[in-house]
Amino acid sequence: MPFTLPSRTPSAGPRRRSLLTGAAGAVLLVGCSPGSDSGTTGDGPSAADRARARVARDSEALAERYAAVITAHPALLGRLEPLRAEVVRHAKAFGGGVSASKSSKPPKSSKPSEPSEPPSASASPSPVPADENAALAELAAAEKQLVDRRTKALVEVPGELARLMASVAAAGAGHVFLLTEGAK
């Protein structure tokens, strides 16, 4: 007996393959819609906006710490002011910079242990060490902490913000080098 293939009669409804293709296309369209990447619920700022604000605040607090060290150790002004100015530019790049850029040089009358403004949560509440090397080591540790935090946060933010954060983290790593090994 010869083998015969069953006849294919067209069904009344759409085929399974066309349904799957249409469903996959709909998922792709929804996934590419403008509002799907923002991470907002409509009630508050997006995750990217919160990350941008956090990075700006961290940079402002770091710039304030640089200013405190410069005030406590004026001999370090030439070495630290360029790094502080770059940290202020980082804060401005993320939409901050109000408190970090009030003056290009720290006020001479303020004491480092008594800041004129309340410190942010990321600022170190400790007074500036009396030893210059200890003060530099503390700044390097603060920079390193921010580099690590920003590097970890890269996966949580969208493309352009991630590139900016990566660039600022790389600059912070350079600051760590200049504050530690670069001094030798």
Side-chain angles (χ1 to χ4, degrees), residues 6-56:
S7 65
R8 299 193 83 176
T9 58
S11 63
R15 294 185 175 215
R16 184 173 25 174
R17 185 175 297 164
S18 63
L19 282 176
L20 289 175
T21 303
V27 168
L28 286 175
L29 286 176
V30 169
C32 294
S33 67
S36 66
D37 191 25
S38 66
T40 62
T41 59
D43 295 335
S46 70
D49 290 340
R50 288 189 307 271
R52 182 180 296 275
R54 183 175 54 250
V55 171

Side-chain angles (χ1 to χ4, degrees), residues 5 27 43 63 70 90 122-123 147 149 159 168 174 182:
L5 294 172
V27 168
D43 295 335
I70 292 169
H90 296 162
S122 62
V147 167
R149 191 176 341 167
V168 169

Side-chain angles (χ1 to χ4, degrees), residues 18-180:
S18 63
L19 282 176
L20 289 175
T21 303
V27 168
L28 286 175
L29 286 176
V30 169
C32 294
S33 67
S36 66
D37 191 25
S38 66
T40 62
T41 59
D43 295 335
S46 70
D49 290 340
R50 288 189 307 271
R52 182 180 296 275
R54 183 175 54 250
V55 171
R57 281 191 312 269
D58 288 345
S59 291
E60 289 172 346
L62 184 61
E64 291 170 7
R65 192 64 186 166
Y66 268 98
V69 171
I70 292 169
T71 299
H73 302 287
L76 295 175
L77 176 68
R79 182 174 175 191
L80 296 181
E81 186 58 31
L83 300 178
R84 180 186 178 278
E86 192 168 315
V87 171
V88 169
R89 283 192 299 273
H90 296 162
K92 287 180 181 178
F94 288 101
V98 175
S99 66
S101 64
K102 283 186 178 175
S103 67
S104 63
K105 294 184 181 174
K108 293 188 182 346
S109 63
S110 70
K111 295 180 183 175
S113 61
E114 298 173 2
S116 60
E117 298 177 27
S120 69
S122 62
S124 175
S126 64
V128 176
D131 179 51
E132 285 183 0
N133 290 332
L136 291 174
E138 183 184 83
L139 274 177
E143 285 269 16
K144 175 85 169 88
Q145 181 183 20
L146 285 181
V147 167
D148 293 343
R149 191 176 341 167
R150 289 170 178 168
T151 302
K152 288 178 186 174
L154 289 176
V155 298
E156 301 169 1
V157 296
E160 192 61 34
L161 180 57
R163 284 186 283 280
L164 181 59
M165 282 177 64
S167 176
V168 169
H175 292 183
V176 171
F177 174 80
L178 292 172
L179 291 168
T180 56

